[in-house]
Amino acid sequence: FMVMNSFATSADAMETLAQHPNLGSGLELLQNKVPKVLTANLAPATWEKQPEQEWCPPGDGDLYTALLESGSLDRLIEEGMQYMFVSNSDNLGASMDLKILTHFANSGAPFMLEVADRASTDLDAGTSHLAKLRDTGNLVLREASQCRPQDEQAFRDTSRYPYVSTNNFWVDLLALRTLLRQHNGMLPLPTLRRAATVDLCDDAAPRVAHLETSAGTAIHCFEEAMALLVPRERCASAKTLGDLMVLRSDAYVLTGDLRVMALHGSCKGMPPVVRLDPMYRSVDRLESLIP
């Protein structure tokens, strides 16, 4: 078990994990950081009030380079580990499923992405659908931010692109190390641009872009990568504060084995959709207005 932290989450996360000594040591993988870029002139942002706000993590696609550069990838392989299950910490539906692990190991695939049937809640920015490259036939993930305006209608067509990424995936560590060595330690992942203010809690702060990569997009880098259709319950993400509000509601239940699951008796088994006003930009604001 390992947690990839950024400079912004490390202290809080490790303080929480310290309360569970049974998890052992060597739990943290610290990712890199990159400067935020001013939208106006593409220069690195400066913010004298809080200089630490000038930086951001480069997205969860940094996982692979961080594993290699930290020595963690070699260490895991030397300890006899071959398969790695990865999930976002905001996906409370993710769990280690031994049946899926067995399927992945028996398949011989180097990479396997868990996907679910796309729903209306998956059409907003930040979600990615599964597609296939015409020239190579490799599977690929595409996000809304990568879609040209004239292609938006096709992007949202669930009959054409019926599967959405759950952000759960499985990787053969030996295949990953070989691929990283072929690419000088950095996989060729598409760069995504996230709009924000340099200080997320200050609406008047300069507009910036976060340049990120997504770990799931590595699927196109692996020959013979595969996807697995899984139940929707393996994806209970809190990507927005609206999602967090729903997860805290009685639309979800906590099972006896500590999995978070949507109640199937309402909304046809799908969680309700909540879109909050931009004033609810931070958790602190949300909790101050909705105790």
Side-chain angles (χ1 to χ4, degrees):
F1 173 76
M2 296 180 70
V3 175
M4 184 172 75
N5 281 319
S6 72
F7 65 93
T9 63
S10 179
D12 288 343
M14 298 313 294
E15 181 181 353
T16 299
L17 290 175
Q19 301 172 23
H20 305 276
N22 58 306
L23 292 176
S25 59
L27 302 179
E28 184 176 53
L29 176 67
L30 192 63
Q31 68 178 136
N32 297 290
K33 61 181 181 178
V34 294
K36 297 176 182 178
V37 178
L38 290 171
T39 303
N41 57 12
L42 303 183
T46 58
W47 192 241
E48 293 183 359
K49 293 181 181 179
Q50 291 181 292
E52 65 274 14
Q53 295 282 3
E54 299 170 2
W55 299 86
C56 63
D60 54 29
D62 189 47
L63 166 68
Y64 309 109
T65 299
L67 277 171
L68 183 67
E69 291 183 344
S70 67
S72 297
L73 180 56
D74 287 333
R75 176 177 59 81
L76 291 172
I77 292 173
E78 289 169 2
E79 292 176 356
M81 300 183 191
Q82 184 174 351
Y83 304 111
M84 176 175 68
F85 172 61
V86 181
S87 66
N88 282 8
S89 59
D90 64 15
N91 182 4
L92 303 184
S95 62
M96 169 61 73
D97 189 309
L98 295 181
K99 291 181 180 179
I100 297 179
L101 171 59
T102 300
H103 174 74
F104 177 54
N106 290 339
S107 74
F111 187 102
M112 184 175 75
L113 177 71
E114 294 184 26
V115 298
D117 290 320
R118 272 179 104 193
S120 59
T121 53
D122 301 318
L123 301 181
D124 294 332
T127 61
S128 53
H129 69 229
L130 187 69
K132 184 176 286 189
L133 293 175
R134 291 176 179 173
D135 55 348
T136 64
N138 287 5
L139 294 173
V140 64
L141 281 182
R142 189 170 66 143
E143 288 205 12
S145 60
Q146 297 172 273
C147 181
R148 298 179 302 176
Q150 60 266 38
D151 294 333
E152 184 176 348
Q153 184 175 356
F155 180 91
R156 299 171 67 87
D157 185 353
T158 56
S159 64
R160 184 173 185 176
Y161 301 111
Y163 304 119
V164 65
S165 170
T166 64
N167 291 321
N168 303 334
F169 59 91
W170 304 74
V171 185
D172 183 314
L173 295 178
L174 294 172
L176 173 61
R177 183 167 67 178
T178 298
L179 193 63
L180 281 167
R181 287 174 176 174
Q182 292 173 356
H183 291 282
N184 297 317
M186 185 173 293
L187 299 184
L189 306 181
T191 300
L192 308 174
R193 179 175 174 174
R194 309 289 189 201
T197 54
V198 65
D199 186 339
L200 294 176
C201 296
D202 187 345
D203 295 337
R207 302 295 299 177
V208 298
H210 295 187
L211 302 180
E212 305 175 353
T213 58
S214 173
T217 61
I219 190 171
H220 85 274
C221 299
F222 292 88
E223 297 292 337
E224 307 300 329
M226 61 186 294
L228 179 69
L229 182 63
V230 298
R232 189 76 195 192
E233 63 197 37
R234 286 189 62 78
C235 184
S237 296
K239 291 185 176 300
T240 68
L241 289 177
D243 295 339
L244 179 62
M245 186 175 177
V246 173
L247 281 165
R248 289 178 171 181
S249 75
D250 56 6
Y252 281 87
V253 295
L254 185 65
T255 65
D257 56 356
L258 301 180
R259 289 180 297 135
V260 176
M261 297 184 64
L263 286 175
H264 291 281
S266 61
C267 300
K268 298 181 180 180
M270 296 296 297
V273 178
V274 173
R275 292 185 174 90
L276 298 175
D277 187 277
M279 69 182 297
Y280 298 97
R281 176 171 288 188
S282 66
V283 174
D284 291 341
R285 290 188 186 182
L286 178 66
E287 294 185 339
S288 68
L289 295 172
I290 306 177

